[in-house]
Amino acid sequence: MELSGRVKNIIFKNTENGFTVFVLKNDDGNIVCNGTFENLKKNEYVILEGEYIIHKKYGRQFKTISMGTPDDILIYDLETYLGKGQFKGIGVVAAKKIVERFGTNAVTIIENEPDRLTEINGITEKKAYELSKQFQKNRLERDAIVFLQKYNVPVKKCMEIYKKYGEKVYEVIGKDPYRLTYDIEGIDFETAEKIENKVGIKAVESRLKAGIMYYLKNDLNNGNTYSIYEKLISDTTAWLDVDEKYIYMACDALIIEKKIMVINVADEKRVMLPELFFYEKEVAKTLLKLDSEKHIENDEYLFNIQAIERNTMISYSDTQKQAVYLAQKHGLLIIVGGAGSGKTVTIDLITKYFDELGKKIVLCAPTGRAAQRLVDLTGKEAKTIHRLLGISGMNDQKEYGFQFFKKENELLDADVIIIDEMSMVDIFIFYELCRVIKPRTRLILVGDIRQLPSVLAGNILRDLVESNCFTVLNLQSIFRQKTDNDIFSAIKMIEDKKMPNLNILSNEFSFLKAVETDDIKYLLIRECEKKAKFLNCKTTDIQVLVLERKGNWGAENMNIFLQSYFNPPNIEHKQISYNHLNTSYIFREGDKVMHIMNDYERKVYTGKLDDLIYNETGLFNGEVGVIVKIDPDKEELIVKYDDNRYVIYQKKDLDLLELAYVQTVHKSQGGEYPGCILFMLEDSRILSIELLYTAITRAKKSLTIIGQEQIIVNAMERNVKRYTSLVDQLNEEKLSLENR
């Protein structure tokens, strides 16, 4: 087992063989320990491996087999720790140089010989002694990090844990490590269980309660807002290997603690996190209230549309004109349609119509690329929903909440709010939006219910349509592709839940049968080159789509392969490497990359590469660009995005980028590409007809599927099934309103 604490005093030491008896002080009190040590010091923080014994004369003691100290910080973790920005004047570059120069002696040098740090270019004597002073001042935190690393906790999480518990971290770990699963985002049940086993304790009740919460959150991560009670009991009983009566008891305890709630709907017993129940209920109340508000109808709306048609030289369909009529009549309108059905053109018409009436219109979408498409089409400003709400990210105080730039009770100043790509909107962000919509606002939701639902929990668009509580307009005409286009034919077959014709071998649509061999990679290369020639574009403009990130045929591995082919090491192309989560990555000049986080404070520049001018702030998740310059000395690179926008990344920022030759289907959602190649080589738990439909509808002009026919058959036979209670909440609230 393991003990940790400070050496309070040394009782005895044999100078010949190093055998030492000393008192260790920790949260459990004073513990007499013994062992053989070369240089044990008073007040030193130590981590001991060993066991308790009963000495005939001196009683109970801890017999030490091995000892660790703060000097055991892994080299990579020390670099991370130093480069986090908490030590004044020491950044990522300086941290790396310190570790490279002094290696395993870095801690000793910093603490005891700071003058030697001046051997490193850029570190002055003043800076060296200031670092030493700060480093020793932070010793308690550093000791805690070393202690937690014994349980394989990443250094960044170690720092979060210490910030939360301070010196009580040892007590938490020693008595109930499952507390981490409640208090620290990213520490899951499995991590806590490993800590429990290594510490050698048995926190039985805490383990069962944490296991149930882990099960619920895992269901939540799979898109569900509730779990089936009987299934939860059965699954956790088997998984945690206990009698089911203890699971029932743990559930009862969690209900009393108000961490879960159990509700009955018809013949189904559901387990929910209280916040999810609240979110769905509040969304239902808000939407029904908006829809119940009366709006003045404009009988002359057709004359307004005719004027718009004259100005734009566009002839709108009857259904698109009907969308305007319904939008001005109802507080809530839902517009659904398949790929190429004219959804964004309809949005443009509605926007122009309300603009002519002097209404304040807000356009938004769940992703950056979808928002940018609205900008390109309408010429109006469009934002991500996050940016519209002033959300900077997850709130540290609330696992499923957000941190706002502006006041949370500030209502949106809008007469009309239009949300595109509504199928991608989850319950968390939609709740936040609903709570800041002012009364009498018209809300228009646009999307495709055949596409994949949101990555996070909820199935908002489908639930709203299937509730039959609101006006729904279905766009069915096809505008993006010609109706005799082979891609359209495949899309239409999938919409009708029929197997697409895989015997077609045209430039527009084709299926190439393949098995899992390395030859497939070179088949992919040939197909990229063939498509690029047909579409008269660069090979890197062809978007390769895969099902998952991991695995032989996942995005990570396939990106590395395509990088090696399309942009191999070249003396003319500088490169930069970095480590993230113990994995090494390389970026080169010329690489196609994606920014993977909404980053509203990121500076964006315009102008010439050698003379960049600051223009604005803000970069969206999903934006794709090309690395145009790497400066190895400064350890930074520059990415060029659409519209000649440039962004500078320091090495510490590189985890915001990933190679984008290949994307998962989920990641591609909301985007359109001239040509796509879809890999369907192996079955996957996420395979579904919605995933297949979403993948095929990303291609505007040309699509090839490389894979096995049986995998496509499997996809056609599976639907995304999500357990959500929004429909029930809507029906219950509607009944309540009718009975008032």
Side-chain angles (χ1 to χ4, degrees):
M1 67 177 296
E2 222 172 65
L3 283 182
S4 60
R6 291 196 177 278
V7 178
K8 183 178 180 181
N9 63 288
I10 296 175
I11 300 173
F12 168 80
K13 182 174 183 178
N14 187 320
T15 56
E16 292 183 3
N17 60 19
F19 179 77
T20 307
V21 180
F22 63 98
V23 175
L24 184 79
K25 181 178 174 59
N26 62 17
D27 292 325
D28 294 326
N30 296 326
I31 303 168
V32 177
C33 306
N34 67 50
T36 301
F37 309 99
E38 289 184 8
N39 190 26
L40 188 67
K41 299 175 183 177
K42 185 178 178 180
N43 293 323
E44 184 176 15
Y45 179 83
V46 293
I47 301 166
L48 309 176
E49 290 272 3
E51 61 183 356
Y52 280 104
I53 61 169
I54 303 298
H55 192 279
K56 291 181 180 179
K57 183 175 181 180
Y58 298 109
R60 188 168 183 259
Q61 295 184 359
F62 186 82
K63 182 180 179 181
T64 304
I65 299 172
S66 65
M67 180 186 79
T69 72
D71 290 351
D72 294 328
I73 293 180
L74 298 175
I75 294 301
Y76 171 69
D77 288 330
L78 178 59
E79 182 181 329
T80 304
Y81 178 68
L82 288 173
K84 281 287 287 182
Q86 61 180 332
F87 298 107
K88 186 177 179 181
I90 302 297
V92 175
V93 175
K96 182 180 181 181
K97 288 180 179 178
I98 291 171
V99 172
E100 287 179 346
R101 176 71 179 83
F102 300 111
T104 56
N105 295 318
V107 172
T108 302
I109 297 294
I110 294 170
E111 286 191 326
N112 303 318
E113 301 177 70
D115 55 302
R116 288 196 58 192
L117 294 173
T118 60
E119 297 172 18
I120 296 170
N121 188 30
I123 297 183
T124 63
E125 184 177 356
K126 181 180 178 181
K127 188 181 291 186
Y129 278 91
E130 182 63 28
L131 170 61
S132 181
K133 182 179 178 182
Q134 292 179 60
F135 196 77
Q136 293 184 59
K137 185 178 179 181
N138 286 23
R139 188 178 185 93
L140 290 175
E141 178 189 46
R142 186 157 50 86
D143 290 352
I145 290 173
V146 175
F147 169 72
L148 290 166
Q149 284 186 316
K150 289 290 183 179
Y151 305 106
N152 299 318
V153 179
V155 68
K156 290 182 181 179
K157 286 298 169 190
C158 292
M159 295 171 76
E160 288 180 35
I161 293 169
Y162 183 78
K163 182 179 178 182
K164 174 71 177 176
Y165 301 121
E167 292 186 61
K168 290 187 177 180
V169 64
Y170 309 106
E171 179 182 348
V172 171
I173 297 298
K175 293 182 179 179
D176 184 9
Y178 293 101
R179 272 187 62 184
L180 298 176
T181 65
Y182 299 102
D183 296 340
I184 308 297
E185 178 70 18
I187 299 293
D188 59 20
F189 176 85
E190 293 172 348
T191 301
E193 188 173 47
K194 288 176 182 177
I195 294 173
E196 179 196 41
N197 292 335
K198 198 164 184 179
V199 172
I201 61 172
K202 290 294 177 185
V204 178
E205 183 181 359
S206 292
R207 176 175 180 267
L208 299 185
K209 291 195 292 185
I212 292 168
M213 295 298 291
Y214 179 70
Y215 182 94
L216 281 170
K217 289 175 183 177
N218 191 55
D219 249 6
L220 190 66
N221 290 335
N222 288 329
N224 304 306
T225 62
Y226 72 85
S227 303
I228 305 296
Y229 183 74
E230 290 77 10
K231 189 172 187 303
L232 179 146
I233 296 295
S234 173
D235 289 351
T236 53
T237 295
W239 168 48
L240 297 173
D241 193 23
V242 294
D243 191 299
E244 72 174 18
K245 69 180 181 181
Y246 296 113
I247 299 296
Y248 281 113
M249 290 168 63
C251 277
D252 290 341
L254 288 169
I255 293 170
I256 292 170
E257 294 169 11
K258 297 185 178 180
K259 288 180 178 174
I260 66 171
M261 58 191 301
V262 177
I263 56 177
N264 293 297
V265 178
D267 297 328
E268 189 175 70
K269 199 171 185 180
R270 301 174 178 178
V271 187
M272 296 187 75
L273 298 173
E275 54 266 40
L276 268 297
F277 177 85
F278 175 76
Y279 291 165
E280 288 185 316
K281 189 172 188 64
E282 289 301 304
V283 165
K285 289 167 65 175
T286 299
L287 297 184
L288 288 168
K289 188 171 185 297
L290 282 175
D291 194 53
S292 68
E293 293 169 342
K294 302 298 182 183
H295 292 272
I296 298 172
E297 298 178 33
N298 178 10
D299 294 333
E300 297 184 349
Y301 78 96
L302 284 175
F303 293 105
N304 297 72
I305 293 175
Q306 288 169 3
I308 293 170
E309 287 181 319
R310 286 194 297 271
N311 291 333
T312 60
M313 304 293 288
I314 296 174
S315 180
Y316 297 103
S317 70
D318 290 341
T319 309
Q320 289 171 327
K321 294 174 184 177
Q322 185 185 11
V324 171
Y325 170 74
L326 295 173
Q328 53 112 27
K329 179 181 179 181
H330 295 284
L332 174 61
L333 173 65
I334 302 168
I335 300 174
V336 296
S341 60
K343 295 187 295 295
T344 47
V345 174
T346 305
I347 290 173
D348 184 46
L349 173 59
I350 293 172
T351 300
K352 284 180 168 59
Y353 173 80
F354 281 116
D355 205 26
E356 288 292 322
L357 297 181
K359 301 295 184 182
K360 184 160 187 178
I361 306 155
V362 168
L363 299 175
C364 60
T367 67
R369 70 178 75 185
Q372 186 59 49
R373 200 168 67 245
L374 286 175
V375 173
D376 296 339
L377 182 76
T378 66
K380 298 281 187 182
E381 181 185 28
K383 299 179 178 180
T384 64
I385 301 174
H386 288 77
R387 191 165 199 176
L388 174 66
L389 297 176
I391 293 172
S392 61
M394 299 303 289
N395 189 331
D396 291 339
Q397 305 303 318
K398 188 172 160 188
E399 188 167 4
Y400 299 109
F402 297 94
Q403 181 66 49
F404 287 76
F405 289 130
K406 58 186 178 183
K407 296 177 181 177
E408 293 192 30
N409 60 358
E410 186 179 338
L411 299 181
L412 294 172
D413 182 19
D415 300 310
V416 181
I417 298 174
I418 303 176
I419 307 176
D420 195 15
E421 295 289 358
M422 187 63 201
S423 65
M424 300 171 67
V425 177
D426 59 75
I427 185 62
F428 305 112
I429 193 66
F430 197 53
Y431 161 74
E432 299 291 357
L433 176 65
C434 285
R435 64 196 293 277
V436 293
I437 297 176
K438 69 181 183 182
R440 300 195 57 74
T441 299
R442 288 180 172 91
L443 180 62
I444 301 167
L445 309 177
V446 184
D448 186 348
I449 59 173
R450 297 181 184 89
Q451 283 194 29
L452 286 165
S454 55
V455 174
L456 298 180
N459 203 354
I460 307 294
L461 183 62
R462 182 174 288 278
D463 284 348
L464 295 181
V465 171
E466 294 183 351
S467 72
N468 295 317
C469 292
F470 308 105
T471 302
V472 179
L473 179 66
N474 194 349
L475 301 176
Q476 295 182 327
S477 299
I478 300 300
F479 298 96
R480 187 196 297 171
Q481 296 106 346
K482 297 177 182 177
T483 54
D484 60 351
N485 180 289
D486 290 330
I487 296 180
F488 169 74
S489 299
I491 292 171
K492 189 61 181 171
M493 294 288 284
I494 294 171
E495 286 179 352
D496 295 336
K497 298 189 176 180
K498 296 177 182 177
M499 188 74 174
N501 184 358
L502 302 182
N503 295 320
I504 299 172
L505 285 174
S506 72
N507 283 321
E508 294 169 348
F509 179 81
S510 60
F511 170 72
L512 301 179
K513 188 175 181 179
V515 293
E516 295 183 45
T517 67
D518 284 340
D519 290 341
I520 295 177
K521 293 181 178 179
Y522 299 99
L523 174 63
L524 169 63
I525 297 295
R526 291 197 300 273
E527 197 61 26
C528 282
E529 292 171 342
K530 177 183 173 183
K531 270 196 193 322
K533 186 176 181 180
F534 168 65
L535 296 169
N536 192 28
C537 66
K538 295 183 293 186
T539 51
T540 51
D541 290 335
I542 305 303
Q543 188 58 58
V544 179
L545 302 176
V546 295
L547 304 185
E548 303 199 54
R549 285 185 60 84
K550 303 291 184 181
N552 291 335
W553 308 106
E556 290 184 358
N557 278 337
M558 293 301 290
N559 262 315
I560 293 170
F561 168 71
L562 287 186
Q563 181 194 43
S564 70
Y565 187 88
F566 290 132
N567 195 24
N570 185 319
I571 193 169
E572 295 180 358
H573 285 182
K574 298 183 182 71
Q575 67 180 40
I576 187 171
S577 61
Y578 80 105
N579 288 309
H580 180 58
L581 299 178
N582 296 324
T583 302
S584 182
Y585 297 90
I586 293 175
F587 288 130
R588 298 189 184 101
E589 291 175 341
D591 272 335
K592 179 181 178 181
V593 293
M594 177 189 288
H595 187 91
I596 60 172
M597 183 182 295
N598 287 327
D599 193 356
Y600 304 123
E601 299 302 300
R602 179 68 49 184
K603 291 183 177 180
V604 179
Y605 299 84
T606 55
K608 296 181 179 179
L609 183 58
D610 295 326
D611 186 24
L612 296 178
I613 302 168
Y614 169 67
N615 183 52
E616 60 183 358
T617 58
L619 199 63
F620 293 133
N621 178 9
E623 293 208 49
V624 175
V626 175
I627 298 174
V628 290
K629 184 178 181 180
I630 292 177
D631 188 327
D633 295 329
K634 291 184 179 179
E635 293 192 312
E636 68 178 26
L637 58 80
I638 300 175
V639 178
K640 182 180 180 181
Y641 292 99
D642 291 341
D643 301 323
N644 291 315
R645 294 171 302 138
Y646 296 88
V647 176
I648 301 171
Y649 295 85
Q650 305 296 325
K651 189 169 184 177
K652 63 182 176 62
D653 303 322
L654 294 185
D655 57 354
L656 298 174
L657 291 175
E658 62 182 28
L659 293 173
Y661 301 102
V662 181
Q663 297 179 36
T664 63
V665 176
H666 279 89
K667 200 69 177 177
S668 72
Q669 197 171 0
E672 294 176 357
Y673 310 94
C676 293
I677 299 172
L678 172 62
F679 261 60
M680 298 192 74
L681 287 165
E682 52 191 5
D683 208 342
S684 166
R685 62 181 180 79
I686 65 171
L687 196 63
S688 66
I689 190 171
E690 291 87 354
L691 184 140
L692 178 61
Y693 175 85
T694 300
I696 290 179
T697 54
R698 297 312 93 204
K700 291 195 285 187
K701 296 181 180 179
S702 181
L703 172 76
T704 296
I705 301 176
I706 297 177
Q708 301 178 47
E709 184 173 346
Q710 185 58 49
I711 305 301
I712 300 174
V713 172
N714 293 348
M716 293 295 298
E717 293 174 348
R718 300 175 192 171
N719 288 98
V720 174
K721 169 62 178 172
R722 289 198 166 177
Y723 294 104
T724 63
S725 63
L726 181 56
V727 173
D728 300 304
Q729 297 277 25
L730 284 165
N731 290 328
E732 183 180 319
E733 186 63 25
K734 186 176 182 181
L735 184 63
S736 175
L737 288 172
E738 291 171 350
N739 291 334
R740 287 176 188 172

